[in-house]
Structures are given as structure tokens and as C-alpha cells.
Amino acid sequence: MKKFRKVLDGLTTSSPGATVGSPSCGSAAGTPTAAPTPKEIDVQETLVSENFQLCKTVRHGFPYQPTALAFDPVQKILAIGSRSGGVRILGRPGVDCYCQHESGAAVLQLQFLINEGALVSACADDTLHLWNLRQRRPAILHSLKFNRERITFCHLPFQSKWLYVGTERGNTHIVNIESFVLSGYVIMWNKAIELSTKTHPGPVVHLSDSPKDEGKLLIGFESGTIVQWDLRGKKADFRIYYDEAIHSVSWHHEGKQFMCSHSDGSLTLWNLRNTTKPFQVTFPHGKIQKDARKESCKPILKVEYKTCRNSEPFVIFSGGLSYDKAGRRPALTIMHGKAITVLEMDYPIVEFMVLCETPYNNEVQEPYAVVVLLEKDLIVVDLTQSNYPVFENPYPMDIHESPVTCTAYFADCPPDIIPILYSIGAKHKKTGYSQKEWPISGGTWTLGSHTYPEIIITGHADGSIKFWDASAITLQMLYKMKTSKVFEKPKPGEGRAAELVEEDPFAIQMVSWCPQSRMFCVVGISAHIILYRFSKYDANTQIVSLEVRLQCDSDDVISPSENENNPSFSEPSSHSPQPHHQHQHPASPGSRTPEGIKDSIPCLKVKDRAVRVPPGYQSELVIQLLWVDGEPPQQITSLDINSAYGLLAFGNCNGLAVVDYLQKTVILCMSTLDLYGSTDPYQRLTRSPRRNRQSTSGLTELTDNQQSIDMERNKSPTSDHVNGHCTSPTSQPCSAGKPRIPMGPEGPRLTRRGPGRPPFRKAQSAACMEISLPVSHTEESRENSFTRSRSSSVSSIDRDTKEAVTTLQFGESYGRKNDVLPTPCLWVGTSLGVVLLIPMSIPTDQEERMEEPVTMGVSGAVLMLKGSVLRFSFLDCMGALIQPPYEVWRDHNAPEDPDRLRRRKLVHFSPSSSQDACGDGHLAVVCSERQAKVFLMPSQSCLFVHNITESSFVLRADVVSVCNSVCLACFCANGHVMTLSLPSLRPLMDVNYLPLTDMRIARTFYFTNGGQALYLSSPTEVQRITYSQEMCDNLQEMLGELFTPIETPEAQNRGFLKGFFGGNAHTFDREELFGEAAAGKASRSLAQHIPGQGGVEGMKVAASGVVGELARARIALDERGQRLGELEERTALMMTSAESFSKHAHELMLKCKDKKWYQF
């Protein structure tokens, strides 16, 4: 211990916790180990807990399971409610805000307070909420919870502060928007209908005030009853009893007619002069059959009746199609005069809304667009053109075009990559959109000062890849590619892919991208890897294919006696199968064993002809794992590519393979057990029986009992599966030879799985097992059961499972303790917590590199951790991050320049390049699902260790740059997001943020630099978060403003005669009728008022630290000042209004003072 303290003497400083190994850190620091270090490593750490705070930034994509729609015609912003209680508010591109009701109840209806910067939401838990939109993060000001009645419909007249609320019992209540208190004025259902009516009219399905007179309220009941209620007289003007149920009602702007849609697919037009029967009844899609009967039609769920100044009115409705035509898609019908246009939709229509020029319901409406909210899309139709084109949607609403199966997030990319990807992607954009500007153009948004290039990559179930520009908290698609184009389409009847995977054989499992070299690699669900190069030119190319046999064969079981006499390590060349070109070995009956069992065939067939590829990412190499003896290849669990070395490494639960993609050869292919050589830390096969012991992983039990070993040795490890996992206690070396039928003590086993459909969708690696979670058998169940995960998404290991390769990393390091200089190495992490270092010898000369083989010495160092290894990263002795070497991008398809020799330009970040002060060596950060360790290389001394979690396990871990320093960011299965300092592994932040509710979050969570992360919050939405205090502080200026001060359009002059004969609509005083003085107070038991949280919404998630508290207090103070300013403005307006009223009253008094009574 004295020796260790001597080493730490040079590490301490006066600042507690600021330096590696400071004794004042106490239990907060990672535990230093007792292994002596060969030299002093002085790393000045700058990160403290006050640098971290966790909060959501922005949500992209289409709102999942939408339920409601609203539009502010003056502010021109759109709101969408969802079944999970979310509200998305959209304006111009960049103005995109997400709000969430804490209850999580579905949003039934949304109503804007037009041009007031406020929104009313009605939820399924019978609660009304008032949202303040005059701040960048909207917050609830008031809530009103109904206790005895269920809300079914709401209506807020323009420029009114009284909200009409219809209920399931048929009653209509009135709520004051300013105080959010119920009025004592109630329209009871039994007063609305005639006393002689014996049946209940049903729930209220419609409420609207008459355009002709605001004192008349039209109430529609579900049964078909319509009542116009005189609010002043508290009586019904007329009652309509119709046979068919009502779904919606829409007024003509003059207030003399209204139209209803019904459950039988009919539209009825009613005239107020005669309400005994409809003025007109039409079945727009109901044709008369031969027997003179009408076709039965589906209900018309909504109708809008909009007038035009210079043409016939528009009648727009959803539904109403005939039942007889099976397979017809949902449709929106536009009737304009005699022309009827049916717009078929890809998904069911949830809601639609016609956008009009005026907010006043008593003026000519002049509709110009229709917003159609579908179950999985949002489209806007241009009504000003006769062919009704749709507008090009500027929002990223098509993330879910095919289900997202993996994500990657890259912050601070090279600045030239985004324009290049955009220019290539723009050539493939769809055409035929409306030429007019996107009509939802409200709010303001400016590019903030804290912006840098960011790219998000999404992989999808259909094999497509999308690159997104995520700079400045926006999202815009740059480029899309389809990996399925590399393969032949499987013919019906011979689909090998169909036998392997029930659906989506091209689904993307993980991606690896180097922005500097622009090399891109994808791993597919069918055990295939595709390597892409980027080019700005199109080309004719022959796709090169390699087939790798990475499977454990049952005849290669290592017995205890063999293990004693001979080392289990053998030369790589003996286990390195030669690459097979796809066109030389097509799938044929000859590739099957005599029993019809598949062998040595890949899952998919690569195109064997030259293909023309457009500019962008072009396939360079396809690698496929082969079927072995009737068993499908196991899914690939880890991948790394290095452009400087020209190598690609991948592994699964059977072993590791390394491919030289420059020479198109396989240079290493062996089982995990063979990688150890003589340094295997586990005694997998023993002579004497012992008690079962538990491995250091905490999630794996290695059975050393002799009896169980004898039983297991009689099994075929390639045929016996438990939950889709091989149950052999050992990992046998891979063989390129022909497999033989295993012989047990009782003769050959004949219980091998036949060539039918194996359970491939659940045949994951040991480090990628499913978590047992409740999954509803709905549309989302396919998302949750989608078991394609990243290299180490979810790490739970069954008993007696094989050791999987869970993570890989190329880099300059020291493969052995006695190495003096760093060499190219491959770091291998396994599901049993073992880290292997494989040193490599790579020719440096360009010509030799293309001809001489790359050699790998597999007997490198072995390190140990608890749990499956997730991540590697390297720091120099000053604590700076060492990036992997890369090749500078050059276009291989560019025209040859005879004057310039085309050579590979490599960029190396050697650990010894900046080590003059502290000598050679570097730090290796290794994180597993249970703990993190920091090793000093080449001595392999463990400097620090930190047990991250005991009760849970880490799903995702990344070493990221934050505030000009680096830290280790972790996301655990129990929902905690943590950051640890490097290299001392001090806990800096630990926030219980997001419980793991389904596999989607585990599969898509991704940390990146700058204190940012993302995950798929629903099958259609990407949620971005930040764990940086600096970004939280700057978030207000990065978000868009939802509300902009705009003058409300003036109402048209109605003229003397219209005003004289059109009733006294403008003298209607709702306050006089509904106020407490006239109507009294409502029953307290009817509804409960809940005050809002005052606008500090969005700061709920907080990290511990004084700076976070100060930031929240400052924001709260700013919002309070903002509200006080608004209150002052309203007070000034009221004073001005009162003075004006006093002045007019005085003038009127002077004018009428000397008049006689008969002169009035």
C-alpha cells in the first residue's frame, strides 16, 4: 500500500475531486486498485457534477396513435393530440414543440384560443387543461376535472372566453376560460328535448353557435336529435328528430342552413325555415341497385360545408364509401359543385380540418387547404388547384415509413458531409407537389449560436437506411439508400430467406459509419454485412461476395484429455476459410446433404451480374454467414471497421471473423475459445466434479459439474436450442470442413432439427437476449418483439450459453505487456466479461498492402470484467480521447489524373505522439454491463474500477466529449442515465430518467458528443435529450417561438340592412348570462379546479447541483416576469377600453339629453 500511495503523491491537488486519484474524492471516485503503476499519470479533470443536467430537447417524427387535431387560422399553427396524452404543436420548419399530459390520458379534443397564444385540451380522464403557448416550453395554467360526467365534445366560439362542454349524459356545461371555473348556467338534456320524448337523446356529439346569432347554440345528440337552444330565453327554438345517428354538423356561413353527416353514409341539409324534414338528403357514394334499393354505405364521420366567394361551395367529408367494395382504402371526398373527387389514403383517417382565410364563422369562408390527419401520416391538400395536389411536408413525418430497427447519432461531423449527402439525395426527391408554400407557417425560429453539424442514421425493417440532418435541433432527410438492391429478389416457392425469417429478411441490425473516410457498413438480420464506399459519380460495378462459415461444429468438441495434452489454440490459417464468390457457388440441390439438410449456403442470393449504381453509397463488398448442417447462421452481435487498416471485424455467439476488404479475403475465422490460446480464464472442462459456481458476470452460470458436462457433450450444439440459443457448455472451433453426424455413447443422435423454419427471430447471441417484458398483442407488439439489436443492446445470459463476441474496436495499442511501441490491435470483448487483445501486422507500403497478407497474433493479453463487455475507448496519458486512425476519403470513381499518383492518405492518432511529458503508453477504458475499468497500457494495470450497478445492467455505454473534456455515459435497464469522469470514474450524474418499458428503447438508445443522446420513444417518434447543463441553459434560445403578436383580422362590414335584419348578434353579452352574478355558482362536486404548474414544465428532470437549481430559478423568474408583463399589458388595454367606453357613454348622454320620449 505504501508503494501505491507513493504513486498517488503526484496526483493530488488542492482541489477535491479535480485530479485523478485524489484522496479527498472518498467514495465518490472510482476505486483505485492496488496494482502499482510504472509512472505517474497526472490528468487534470475539469468535469464536475454541475456540468450535467438531463432534460428533453425535441421530439421528431409523426405523433404515435394520433387522436385529435386543431388549427389556429391567425397564428397558423397546428396541434395534434395522441392516445398517450401527448400534444405536438407545429408551425414553420423549426417550430416543433412536444407537450405531455402527466396523466397520460388520451387527448379527445383540442381547441385553440384563436390568436391568444393558448390551447384547451380535453382528455379521456374527463379533464380540461389550458396550455400557455406564449413561452417556448408550453405549460398548463389551469385544469378542470369533471367528477360525475364524461366529456364528449367541446366548442369555443371565436373571441369568447366561455367554453361549451358537452357530456355523455347529454348535458352542456359552460366553463370560464380565464378562471377555469364552471358557470352555474347548465343546459340539461331533459330541458333541451321535449317532455313527451321517452328516450334519452344520447351523448352530445356537436356544439356550435349560429353564425347568424351568437345567442343561439346548436346541440347535436348522437341519437339523431338536434336542438337549437336560445341562451337568453333558456328555451329551445326548434327540435329535429332524425332516424339516423349524427356524427357531425357544419353551418353555412349565413346561418340559415346546416349540414349533418350520418351513420348510414348520408348527408342531410337542413333549412331553418322548415325543420320538420331535411331540405336535401344525399348518399354521395350510395348507388341505386337493380332492385331500386340504395347501396349500404359506411358512416360519414365528419363533414365540412365551406362557401366560396367566386365559385360553388365545398362539401368535404371522410367515410361514406359503400360496404360492397371490399379492399377499398380510406378516402376523403371533395364535392365542389357537380364535381366529386375521391382522394384515397394509405392509412385510416383520424381527423381532418379545412383551412379557411377568415376566423369568423359568419363570413364567406374561402377554403384553401385541407389538413388530413391519418393514423400514420399527415398530409395537406391544396384546394386552390383543380387536381388537388398535396403540399410537400417539411416535417420528418416518415421516419416510420418502415419500422426503425436501429439508430446511430453523430455530433460534430465534418462540415462538408451534410451538403454532399443533401445534393445527392435531392436528385431522388418525389415530384408533383403543390407549388405553393406550406400553409402551416406560424411561429418564429432562428438558427442558434450553439450549432454544429449533426447526423442521425436510422436503419429500417425493409433494409433501407436514412441519413438525417439533425443540426440545430431540427431534422431533415438528406439521403436514403436501400440495401436490398444488392440481393436478388427471392422467387416464390424457393425463398431461403423466407425459411430463415418470417418477414423482413433485409432488416438492418446495426450500422458502423466513419464520417471522415465515408466508409459505411451495415449488418442485416439474415447474418449478412454490406460494406459501402461513397462516390459522387455513378458506376458499373460487380458486387464482390464473401461467404464465411462461422459455426460451431459438433465434431470439434474439445475433450479434457485433448485439452491437457494439446493447447486449444491453433494457427489462424487452419481456421480461415477461403472466400467463396457468390456467383461461383449458387444455391443448388448440391449444396444440401443427402438428407436434404441445408449446408454451406447463405441466407440471401447476391446479384451475380454487373449493376449500375447511382452516385452516393455504392456497395463494395457483401459478407454472408453460411448455413451449417441444417442450422442457420447466428445473428451478428458486434462489428467494427477501420479504413486506415482496411479491415472489418465481426463476431457472434460462435466466434470472430476478420476480413481484409482491400484484398477481399478472410484473414481470421475462429471460435471464441480458440482466441484465448493457453490464457483461457475459465476452466470450462474439468476432470473432477465440483459444485456449481457463478461466474463474475453475475448473469451467467458456467456449469463445471462432470455429470452435466458428460450429458452436454452428447448433445449437438448446433441443433439443441433453448429459446433460440446454443446450449453447449463450450465454444468449439469453427471448421471449414464437412460436418459429421456426432456419435454419442448410445450411437448417432437422430433428433437434429429438420430443414423447416428454425426459430431464427429469437436466435440471438448470448449478449443480445430479450428482456421479459409485457407486450400487448397489438400493432406495437411487432415492434417490441423485434429482436434485432446492436452489438450489445441487452445483455442477459442464459445458463450454459456459448461465449459471444459482444464488442470490437480497432486501434493503436499494445498487444503484449513487453511491447515498446504501439501497433495495430483489435480489442475483443465477450459476453463473459473477457477482453482479448489481438495484435496485427499490417504492411505499411501501399503496394505491399494490396499484395502481402495481414497477419494476426491471437495470443494477446486477457483482461476481466463483470458482465458482458459493451464498449472500448482509449485516452492518452493527459486524459484526451484517442480517435481510431482513418483513411482520408477519396473518390474511387473519379476520373484518373495522370499527373497525380493516387495514394491512400492515412491519419493516425498514435498514443505516443503527444506523450513527451509522460512517456509511452495510454489508458484503455473498458465498460461492461456491470462495471467500468481503466487500464494502463502496456502494463495492463487496472488504475480504476467502478461498479456501475448491482441490481440492474447497462444497456448502452459510450465515451463522449462534453465541455472540452471526456466522460463515460451509461444508460441502464432500470432507467438511470449516468455519467462518470475519466479516467477516475467518479460519478458525476445519476438520474432516474426512463424505465425500460420495451425493447425499442434498448435497441435505439445512443449517446453522442456534446452532451446529447436519442432513442425511439414510440414506433414513429425519435426523442432527443441532453445531459449537458450548458445545452439546457441554451435550450430556450434554440427552441422556436410558438406565439407571435399578430393583429386579429377585422370583421367584414356587414352593411346596414344585414345588421338590421340579421338579429342582434353583436349585442350578445355572455358575461351577463354565464357570470356568477346571473347564473350563480356551479356545484362543487361536479368539477374540481386544479391550478397549473406555472410554466416551469420541461425542467422536471434535474441533476443534482447548484447550477441546475439556479438555472431553474432563473427560468422561473423570467417566466414570472413575462406573465407580469402580460398582465400589465392586459391592464393597460382594459383601462384604455374603459376610458373609451366612458367617452362614448358621455357622448351618447349629451346627444340624448334634450330629446323627448317620442323622438327615440
Side-chain angles (χ1 to χ4, degrees), residues 725-888:
H725 301 275
C726 296
T727 56
S728 167
T730 62
S731 296
Q732 290 81 19
C734 299
S735 169
K738 205 71 177 169
R740 299 189 299 272
I741 297 177
M743 298 290 289
E746 301 170 1
R749 291 175 58 88
L750 301 177
T751 57
R752 187 180 307 280
R753 186 186 305 279
R757 294 181 179 229
F760 187 80
R761 288 175 69 83
K762 291 189 178 178
Q764 304 183 75
S765 73
C768 302
M769 308 268 276
E770 279 189 271
I771 298 176
S772 298
L773 294 166
V775 178
S776 58
H777 296 283
T778 59
E779 182 181 309
E780 193 178 355
S781 64
R782 181 176 157 216
E783 291 291 328
N784 291 338
S785 64
F786 199 72
T787 58
R788 312 167 177 99
S789 62
R790 296 188 311 273
S791 62
S792 52
S793 292
V794 177
S795 309
S796 303
I797 307 176
D798 277 351
R799 303 180 63 171
D800 303 332
T801 185
K802 293 190 293 186
E803 186 173 8
V805 177
T806 54
T807 185
L808 297 163
Q809 179 73 55
F810 286 106
E812 300 282 317
S813 187
Y814 302 86
R816 298 172 183 86
K817 284 187 178 182
N818 55 0
D819 284 356
V820 179
L821 294 174
T823 58
C825 289
L826 174 62
W827 287 63
V828 181
T830 75
S831 57
L832 297 186
V834 180
V835 177
L836 300 165
L837 272 75
I838 303 178
M840 302 179 294
S841 176
I842 302 175
T844 53
D845 183 74
Q846 181 169 346
E847 294 181 0
E848 290 181 0
R849 176 67 185 86
M850 300 304 294
E851 297 174 0
E852 297 292 325
V854 175
T855 58
M856 307 186 74
V858 188
S859 56
V862 175
L863 310 172
M864 296 289 297
L865 284 87
K866 289 181 183 178
S868 178
V869 182
L870 302 181
R871 187 69 58 218
F872 298 121
S873 191
F874 310 119
L875 309 177
D876 63 22
C877 290
M878 302 300 293
L881 190 64
I882 301 175
Q883 299 290 347
Y886 64 87
E887 177 190 0
V888 177

Side-chain angles (χ1 to χ4, degrees), residues 22 64 97 116 209-210 229 231 246 249 356 376 425 495 572-573 653 664 705 744 879 941 967 1003 1015 1048 1071:
S22 172
Y64 184 57
C97 181
E116 294 289 337
D209 53 326
S210 167
W229 185 261
L231 293 168
I246 291 174
V249 181
C356 300
K376 292 188 177 181
S573 58
C653 66
K664 309 293 190 296
N705 186 286
S941 306
C967 70
R1003 193 177 60 240
Y1015 60 93
T1048 303
E1071 182 70 37

Side-chain angles (χ1 to χ4, degrees), residues 371-686:
V371 179
V372 188
L373 179 64
L374 308 176
E375 274 190 5
K376 292 188 177 181
D377 202 1
L378 176 75
I379 63 170
V380 182
V381 181
D382 186 356
L383 291 179
T384 61
Q385 299 182 45
S386 57
N387 59 339
Y388 304 128
V390 297
F391 290 88
E392 186 175 6
N393 196 328
Y395 315 126
M397 293 287 185
D398 56 346
I399 292 175
H400 62 286
E401 187 177 15
S402 173
V404 177
T405 55
C406 73
T407 60
Y409 190 7
F410 300 88
D412 213 2
C413 299
D416 60 335
I417 191 73
I418 290 179
I420 289 175
L421 287 172
Y422 181 78
S423 63
I424 290 176
K427 297 175 183 177
H428 305 286
K429 280 196 170 182
K430 296 178 182 178
T431 57
Y433 293 110
S434 171
Q435 299 300 313
K436 295 195 173 182
E437 289 188 3
W438 180 251
I440 305 163
S441 56
T444 55
W445 179 78
T446 54
L447 199 63
S449 56
H450 301 270
T451 58
Y452 40 82
E454 299 175 69
I455 286 181
I456 292 173
I457 301 174
T458 55
H460 300 264
D462 63 353
S464 61
I465 301 280
K466 292 180 181 179
F467 288 77
W468 306 84
D469 177 10
S471 309
I473 69 168
T474 61
L475 197 69
Q476 183 180 10
M477 195 167 80
L478 295 172
Y479 174 70
K480 179 182 177 181
M481 56 188 283
K482 294 181 179 180
T483 62
S484 58
K485 290 186 175 181
V486 172
F487 303 101
E488 299 281 4
K489 292 182 180 178
K491 296 178 182 177
E494 74 155 61
R496 285 175 294 159
E499 292 180 16
L500 183 65
V501 185
E502 295 97 342
E503 53 190 13
D504 303 327
F506 308 112
I508 306 301
Q509 194 173 350
M510 67 183 84
V511 297
S512 178
W513 185 50
C514 176
Q516 288 80 13
S517 65
R518 301 183 191 173
M519 297 295 292
F520 186 61
C521 197
V522 301
V523 174
I525 193 69
S526 298
H528 64 274
I529 300 172
I530 311 174
L531 179 65
Y532 289 91
R533 283 188 186 271
F534 186 82
S535 176
K536 294 190 288 187
Y537 305 91
D538 57 359
N540 286 317
T541 181
Q542 179 81 35
I543 302 170
V544 181
S545 172
L546 291 179
E547 296 175 353
V548 179
R549 186 184 178 96
L550 187 58
Q551 194 87 356
C552 294
D553 290 328
S554 52
D555 56 342
D556 289 327
V557 176
I558 301 172
S559 67
S561 58
E562 291 172 341
N563 201 27
E564 277 183 3
N565 300 326
N566 303 311
S568 58
F569 169 75
S570 55
E571 289 299 318
S573 58
S574 66
H575 296 289
S576 300
Q578 294 301 313
H580 306 288
H581 289 276
Q582 179 85 359
H583 60 271
Q584 295 173 351
H585 294 271
S588 64
S591 61
R592 296 172 180 258
T593 62
E595 293 85 0
I597 298 174
K598 292 182 180 180
D599 187 62
S600 299
I601 58 172
C603 303
L604 301 169
K605 186 175 179 354
V606 178
K607 291 180 179 177
D608 55 1
R609 61 185 183 278
V611 292
R612 187 162 188 83
V613 287
Y617 275 102
Q618 301 167 352
S619 55
E620 168 97 353
L621 177 67
V622 178
I623 304 167
Q624 294 190 91
L625 299 186
L626 300 175
W627 284 65
V628 176
D629 203 15
E631 289 295 332
Q634 296 295 310
Q635 291 185 20
I636 295 165
T637 59
S638 53
L639 170 76
D640 193 37
I641 181 173
N642 189 280
S643 56
Y645 302 157
L647 299 178
L648 183 153
F650 62 93
N652 63 7
C653 66
N654 290 326
L656 170 71
V658 181
V659 172
D660 183 343
Y661 67 78
L662 297 177
Q663 297 185 22
K664 309 293 190 296
T665 57
V666 180
I667 60 175
L668 179 75
C669 178
M670 54 172 51
S671 71
T672 318
L673 181 63
D674 280 345
L675 293 173
Y676 288 108
S678 58
T679 57
D680 188 355
Y682 292 110
Q683 299 299 320
R684 288 174 167 77
L685 295 172
T686 58

Side-chain angles (χ1 to χ4, degrees), residues 2-76:
K2 285 181 181 177
K3 195 185 285 186
F4 181 66
R5 285 189 177 173
K6 232 183 230 184
V7 174
L8 291 181
D9 283 342
L11 305 181
T12 58
T13 64
S14 57
S15 170
T19 306
V20 174
S22 172
S24 59
C25 293
S27 61
T31 308
T33 62
T37 56
K39 58 183 179 298
E40 296 178 3
I41 301 173
D42 189 10
V43 178
Q44 189 74 24
E45 293 186 2
T46 58
L47 291 177
V48 291
S49 61
E50 284 75 15
N51 293 126
F52 295 93
Q53 180 183 340
L54 193 68
C55 70
K56 296 179 180 179
T57 53
V58 68
R59 183 172 290 208
H60 303 297
F62 181 77
Y64 184 57
Q65 294 180 329
T67 54
L69 185 69
F71 182 71
D72 188 324
V74 179
Q75 288 289 320
K76 296 193 182 302

